[in-house]
């Protein structure tokens, strides 16, 4: 049966690396983007040049009807979905709690938590045996911040990733009998655009001495773990995480 996998946030960073990795392993890849269509189309071209199958679609995971429209389009254009990588997520500029307002916190939670849950819901509706599906696997991209906090910087982001961890474990129990495995990865400091979005473009250089392996990680190092978790090689893994954080 063909492996068909949706990767949210596939235009850049960890999502892009995951799309390339999964396509190289024979998945039909749908990579979504929020606004950077050209970057997403370049990833599609890169995959197609290597003989893989890929498609880029726009979605705002914070918007329920946008998520529903994305899955409806997938239904009409691709074979049934067998994998979801819930990767899209955001970080906002570093801030102490005194400067955090409800709008900021709700914005992060809506994308990182509600968006992740909505995409998982649509995937379950298609994968679950009780809905006529063939099962599948969901990998949620959490963060080492869920364990370590990011105090004085991004406690709202850390809280959102703590919620993703709880969602991952509890959803895994809810859908295990439906043939769906749900697991997560918790990257540490990975070299992507996200740090600039968080107001600290040089963050990895600044913190790498605190990492036992003495460096930040590359997106492809996270992608390798995601690809393994999605595969049949990880057929007995559900409700647990791989930490990819150089020892922190
Ligand atoms: P990134 O380079 O900033 O890329 C973010 C991706 O998410 C982009 O493809 C972006 O689309 C998409 N996106 C943003 N908001 C969206 C929305 N509302 N709806 C749909 N798509 C949206 O991020 P990254 O560093 O690769 O991070 C990917 C995941 O890993 C995130 O969940 C992040 O929290 C997690 N993570 C990252 C690190 C790290 O050190 N980088 C560490 C731990 C965890 P556009 O390109 O169109 O804007």
């Amino acid at each position: 049966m063909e492996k068909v996998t949706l990767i949210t946030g596939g235009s850049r960073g960890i999502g892009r690396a995951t799309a390339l990795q999964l396509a190289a392993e024979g998945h039909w890849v749908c990579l979504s983007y929020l606004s950077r269509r050209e970057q997403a189309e370049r990833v599609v071209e890169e995959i197609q040049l290597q003989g893989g199958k890929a498609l880029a679609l726009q979605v705002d995971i914070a918007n329920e009807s946008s998520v529903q429209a994305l899955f409806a389009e997938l239904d009409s254009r691709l074979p049934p979905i067998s994998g979801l990588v819930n990767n899209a997520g955001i970080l906002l500029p570093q801030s102490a709690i005194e400067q955090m307002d409800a709008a900021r916190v709700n914005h992060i939670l809506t994308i990182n938590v509600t968006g992740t849950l909505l995409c998982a819901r649509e995937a379950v509706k298609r994968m679950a045996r009780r809905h006529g599906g063939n099962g599948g696997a969901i990998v949620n991209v959490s963060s080492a911040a869920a364990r370590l906090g990011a105090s004085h910087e991004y406690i709202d982001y850390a809280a959102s990733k703590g919620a993703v961890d709880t969602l991952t474990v509890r959803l895994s129990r809810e859908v295990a009998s439906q043939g769906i495995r749900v697991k997560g990865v918790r990257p540490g400091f990975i070299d992507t655009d996200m740090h600039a979005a968080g107001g600290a473009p040089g963050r990895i250089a600044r913190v790498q001495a605190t990492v036992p392996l003495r460096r930040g990680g590359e997106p492809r190092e996270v992608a390798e773990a995601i690809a393994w978790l999605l595969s049949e090689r990880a057929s007995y893994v559900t409700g647990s995480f791989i930490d990819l954080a150089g020892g922190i």
Side-chain angles (χ1 to χ4, degrees):
M1 203 168 51
E2 191 147 33
K3 289 172 284 184
V4 178
T5 301
L6 168 64
I7 302 143
T8 63
S11 48
R12 296 185 278 139
I14 293 168
R16 172 184 176 276
T18 303
L20 293 168
Q21 179 70 35
L22 293 176
E25 294 186 16
H27 291 237
W28 220 127
V29 162
C30 174
L31 56 103
S32 77
Y33 60 94
L34 175 64
S35 56
R36 290 172 172 80
R37 181 183 184 150
E38 279 184 19
Q39 278 180 250
E41 292 294 355
R42 275 204 294 276
V43 182
V44 169
E45 279 166 28
E46 219 176 313
I47 289 172
Q48 290 172 341
L49 278 173
Q50 289 161 12
K53 289 189 272 192
L55 165 75
L57 295 176
Q58 196 277 335
V59 69
D60 178 357
I61 61 165
N63 179 319
E64 187 163 18
S65 42
S66 177
V67 171
Q68 287 168 319
L70 168 73
F71 277 83
E73 193 161 356
L74 272 180
D75 291 340
S76 67
R77 295 180 65 173
L78 298 186
I81 185 173
S82 57
L84 167 66
V85 183
N86 248 329
N87 166 74
I90 61 157
L91 184 68
L92 293 175
Q94 289 160 313
S95 176
I97 193 166
E98 289 90 334
Q99 278 76 51
M100 285 182 184
D101 60 15
R104 169 186 163 120
V105 177
N106 289 338
H107 183 53
I108 289 217
L109 293 175
T110 304
I111 295 171
N112 293 3
V113 183
T114 311
T116 296
L117 189 147
L118 291 175
C119 292
R121 181 192 73 191
E122 293 305 309
V124 166
K125 282 184 183 173
R126 289 156 176 83
M127 293 174 182
R129 292 187 186 128
R130 64 172 170 257
H131 299 301
N134 299 314
I138 298 173
V139 177
N140 292 330
V141 181
S142 174
S143 171
R147 295 184 286 115
L148 304 172
S151 304
H152 308 288
E153 295 185 308
Y154 316 103
I155 57 170
D156 47 1
Y157 172 81
S160 77
K161 294 300 187 177
V164 169
D165 282 6
T166 301
L167 171 67
T168 302
V169 175
R170 299 334 304 177
L171 179 61
S172 75
R173 311 304 198 248
E174 188 167 323
V175 297
S177 66
Q178 299 302 311
I180 305 171
R181 292 170 285 124
V182 187
K183 23 335 213 358
V185 290
R186 284 189 294 227
F189 301 109
I190 309 299
D191 189 10
T192 73
D193 298 345
M194 177 169 266
H195 303 286
R203 189 164 186 236
I204 291 181
R206 181 165 53 81
V207 299
Q208 62 190 3
T210 67
V211 177
L213 286 183
R214 295 287 185 272
R215 65 175 178 87
E218 294 297 325
R220 64 168 176 77
E221 295 179 293
V222 182
E224 287 278 357
I226 294 173
W228 180 76
L229 285 171
L230 273 183
S231 76
E232 280 307 307
R233 282 144 27 229
S235 53
Y236 204 49
V237 180
T238 198
S240 58
F241 302 88
I242 298 181
D243 290 301
L244 300 137
I248 56 172

